[in-house]
Amino acid sequence: MDTQIARTENEETTHEVVKTAVEELQKGNVVALPTETVYGLAADAFNPEAVAKIFEAKDRPRFDPLIVHVASQKALREVADVPEELRKIVRTLTELFWPGPLTLILPKNEKVPDIVSAGLPTIGVRCSKHPLFAEILESLGRPLAAPSANRFGRISPTSADAVMSELEGRIPLIVDGGACARGLESTIVRVKVPEKNSKGKAIIQILRHGPISADELKRYGKIEVVSNDEVSDNAPEAPGLLASHYAPQTPLRLLKDPKDFKAEAGKSYGLLSYRGKKKDGYLNLHPWDEIEILSPGSGKTVEAALRFFFILRKLDELGVDEIIAEPVSEFGAGAAIMERLQRASVK
Ligand code: TXA
Ligand code: MG
C-alpha cells in the first residue's frame, strides 16, 4: 500500500485535505491525524471493520482497548452512558479540560462496537483540541476511535514524518498538522464517588499521567494514582497499560543515581539529558557518544514533554548501543515523562 502525506499550507489546501481524509474515513479506511498530544490512527468508531484495520496496521493485540474521540462535551452521550452519580464530576472535568488532553474512562454505550473497547464494559473518551482533527471529526459527523499512530509498544509519533517511519505501507493517508503542541498522550482518569456517601468528594483515579497534572485535577476530587506496578500485564481493568511500552529499539536505562553507571568496554552510549547541566552529575560521567537535551537551561517540564518523543526517536536513530536517561523533575508534566521513561526502560 502506498502511504500519502497530505500537507496543509493555506485555507484552500486545508479544505482539500479535510475532504480527502473524510472520504477515506467514510470508505471505512484508517487515516493518521494530528492531535495536540500525539498523532492518532483514526477510524470511524461505529464501523467495526474500519476499527479492525487500526489493530492490523499497528500490530496491536485485540485485548488493548482504544480511545474514542468525540466532537464536544454534548457528543459524549453518543459513546458513553454516564451514570447519575457521576454526572456532576464528569460535567466539571469536561467543561474545564475539553477540548484538551484529558481522557475519561466511563461506562460504554452499547452502540459502540465491542472491538473498540476490547470487550470491556467501559470506554476511554476524549475531545481533541487540534483544529484539523476537530474539523475532520465534525465533517464526518461520527466519533473517531484513535490510538497513537505507532506500531504497538513503540515510541508515539509527534510529527507526520514520525508516523511515516512507523506505518509506511500499512495505511493510505497521513494528515500533516505539524508538530504536536503537547507531545505526550492525554492524561487518563477514571472517576468514582465514594460508595457510602455519594454526596462526598469524587475520586479521580489517574491511570496514565499526561499533560493535565495531578495538581491541576486535585481541586475537583481526591486523587488516587494507580501505579504501574498495580497494572500488571493482564490486569483486566487497564489491559493496555502494560508494563513495557514506549520503547525505543535501542535499549534504554533510566539511571536514577549517576553513581550506578559503569560503562562496558566497546559499547557506545547516548545520554538523554533533562537540562544539560553539569551539576546534575550526568554530563561528565562518561565521554558520551551522543547527547540530547530535553529542556536546555533551567529545565521546563512543559518543554521537555513536548520534545520528549521527538528527541527519544532521534537518539534511537543515531545507532548507539544503549541510551542512558536522566530522571526529570516530577513537577507538572514531569510525572508523565517519568512514567514513560520507567516503562521504556529495560527491566
Ligand atoms: O492523547 C491520546 O490519548 C492519544 C491521542 C491519539 O488521542 N491516544 C492514545 O491512545 O494515547 P493509545 O491507544 O495509544 O492509549 C490509550 C490507552 C491504552 O493504554 C488503553 O489500554 C487505555 O488507554 N484504555 C483505553 N480504553 C480503556 C478502558 N476502557 N479502560 C482502561 N484503559 C483503557
Ligand atoms: Mg499508544
Side-chain angles (χ1 to χ4, degrees):
M1 186 188 297
D2 192 25
T3 306
Q4 301 287 330
I5 296 192
R7 300 191 196 272
T8 55
E9 261 129 50
N10 52 41
E11 243 175 67
E12 205 178 308
T13 50
T14 302
H15 181 75
E16 272 310 303
V17 167
V18 169
K19 201 167 143 244
T20 314
V22 170
E23 281 166 7
E24 280 298 332
L25 293 164
Q26 280 167 336
K27 276 191 262 171
N29 287 330
V30 292
V31 179
L33 298 176
T35 85
E36 75 278 37
T37 59
V38 300
Y39 274 69
L41 184 62
D44 177 349
F46 288 145
N47 179 343
E49 283 93 47
V51 173
K53 292 182 188 169
I54 295 179
F55 286 91
E56 274 157 40
K58 280 180 58 95
D59 286 332
R60 184 179 176 113
R62 290 279 181 108
F63 61 74
D64 190 1
L66 308 178
I67 291 178
V68 171
H69 299 67
V70 293
S72 64
Q73 191 187 30
K74 236 176 117 193
L76 174 60
R77 70 167 86 101
E78 290 170 22
V79 297
D81 293 329
V82 184
E84 182 67 44
E85 70 274 17
L86 294 182
R87 291 215 175 123
K88 189 162 160 242
I89 179 70
V90 168
R91 198 180 323 115
T92 305
L93 294 178
T94 52
E95 240 155 52
L96 282 161
F97 297 107
W98 280 14
L102 183 73
T103 296
L104 297 168
I105 305 292
L106 293 166
K108 179 176 100 61
N109 181 308
E110 61 181 27
K111 269 189 4 206
V112 182
D114 281 340
I115 184 172
V116 176
S117 64
L120 291 179
T122 55
I123 191 155
V125 194
R126 93 173 187 97
C127 176
S128 170
K129 199 174 184 168
H130 198 289
L132 262 175
F133 191 100
E135 202 177 327
I136 290 165
L137 179 47
E138 198 122 321
S139 9
L140 180 71
R142 291 160 82 88
L144 285 172
S148 51
N150 48 279
R151 270 173 289 150
F152 184 68
R154 299 211 32 208
I155 307 174
S156 301
T158 52
S159 69
D161 286 351
V163 179
M164 194 57 135
S165 65
E166 287 288 324
L167 300 175
E168 184 169 17
R170 294 167 173 242
I171 61 172
L173 183 67
I174 301 168
V175 172
D176 188 350
C180 299
R182 307 302 286 258
L184 291 180
E185 303 88 344
S186 61
T187 306
I188 302 183
V189 299
R190 186 164 49 199
V191 286
K192 286 186 172 173
V193 281
E195 261 166 40
K196 285 205 181 95
N197 169 17
S198 58
K199 292 215 165 61
K201 210 174 176 189
I203 297 166
I204 303 176
Q205 290 185 315
I206 300 183
L207 301 187
R208 177 175 76 184
H209 287 286
I212 311 276
S213 67
D215 247 3
E216 285 174 89
L217 293 168
K218 73 176 183 214
R219 285 182 54 198
Y220 313 103
K222 184 174 173 290
I223 303 293
E224 284 176 10
V225 177
V226 180
S227 83
N228 285 334
D229 305 339
E230 290 166 52
V231 185
S232 80
D233 278 20
N234 40 28
E237 283 213 279
L241 306 174
L242 306 176
S244 171
H245 223 78
Y246 313 110
Q249 276 156 318
T250 313
L252 178 145
R253 181 152 48 110
L254 173 60
L255 187 68
K256 290 209 170 141
D257 186 342
K259 286 197 221 69
D260 294 338
F261 181 74
K262 273 193 198 71
E264 279 175 46
K267 213 166 149 177
S268 62
Y269 292 94
L271 178 69
L272 178 61
S273 171
Y274 170 39
R275 50 186 193 168
K277 281 225 160 105
K278 283 189 187 136
K279 70 169 186 196
D280 293 339
Y282 292 83
L283 227 49
N284 291 347
L285 202 55
H286 179 77
W288 305 106
D289 296 275
E290 304 288 347
I291 299 173
E292 292 291 337
I293 304 168
L294 289 174
S295 176
S298 57
K300 293 180 180 58
T301 53
V302 172
E303 181 183 35
L306 86 84
R307 283 161 51 81
F308 178 68
F309 283 130
F310 173 76
I311 296 277
L312 188 55
R313 187 173 286 277
K314 190 168 163 196
L315 260 181
D316 197 15
E317 283 163 5
L318 286 170
V320 289
D321 294 322
E322 190 173 354
I323 298 168
I324 300 296
E326 287 181 23
V328 307
S329 156
E330 297 250 6
F331 174 78
I337 302 174
M338 282 301 281
E339 184 183 276
R340 278 137 185 98
L341 279 176
Q342 254 138 14
R343 292 174 62 204
S345 201
V346 174
K347 300 289 167 330

